Amino acid sequence: MYTNERCLIFDESGNLGVSGRYFVISCIDTINAKSLHNIMKRKLKHAGDKFPELKPLHAHEIKAKDAYPCVKYHILESIISKEISISYIVVDLHYIEPRLLKDKNILYNFASKILISKLITQKDIGKTINILFDNKTTKIASKNSLREYIIAYIVYEEGLDVTINFEYKDSDAGDAFIIQAADYVANAIYSKYEYNNNVYSNLLNSKINIVQHFPYKNFGK
């Protein structure tokens, strides 16, 4: 599974203009996706065995929003035990123009580009980078438009000779446990901003790499 190749694993939390103030796109950055996959598979199975009422909700998944606090906390502890870093962008919807909220595709693509432009740089020239999204992202952003937008920016605008593979996975599939890890991270960060709940996000502090707030000037005011 992506042996010795860098993986950027994305997920989001919050709603673009539907409810709540903030929208989060988070990224787990790792070159050892297999190790992250294995621990998530094992821990989610244990959680399902201990709390069988959670099992019928999905085939292979216990979503962070459905997990009991003890489950969520332990899974986040397991995630940060791995060789990863975490980056994210938070959008303050109070300061987004209404016309952008009407076109969620544009806003999602733009926020993703801001974050990815910080993650893929000159040091990645000549390398292969796998960018993974949850299939549910397609409810917000067009698969093709997001892929083309990011590749156009990195390869043509920035002029970086980087091979970028895009992959969309069903988070409930048996091979998508790394997507589920990103779900727990995004949920923890969203809870920090939307509900001022730092219990879960504090676990991530040692792994944080890049933090972006948008719009920069008025964010959180």
Side-chain angles (χ1 to χ4, degrees), residues 82-133:
K82 296 303 174 182
E83 187 180 353
I84 66 166
S85 67
I86 293 168
S87 298
Y88 64 89
I89 183 168
V90 186
V91 179
D92 186 341
L93 300 174
H94 279 192
Y95 297 103
I96 300 300
E97 292 185 24
R99 61 178 179 171
L100 274 181
L101 291 177
K102 290 180 181 178
D103 195 334
K104 297 176 183 179
N105 185 61
I106 293 177
L107 181 56
Y108 187 93
N109 287 1
F110 184 71
S112 296
K113 187 208 76 171
I114 292 173
L115 184 55
I116 291 174
S117 69
K118 301 291 185 181
L119 289 164
I120 302 178
T121 62
Q122 292 283 340
K123 68 178 178 13
D124 297 303
I125 288 177
K127 297 179 181 178
T128 296
I129 298 176
N130 302 288
I131 298 181
L132 292 87
F133 284 92

Side-chain angles (χ1 to χ4, degrees), residues 154-171:
I154 296 297
V155 176
Y156 297 105
E157 190 172 336
E158 291 295 297
L160 300 180
D161 182 14
V162 179
T163 299
I164 301 175
N165 296 324
F166 269 77
E167 187 171 355
Y168 289 83
K169 286 182 173 290
D170 182 349
S171 61

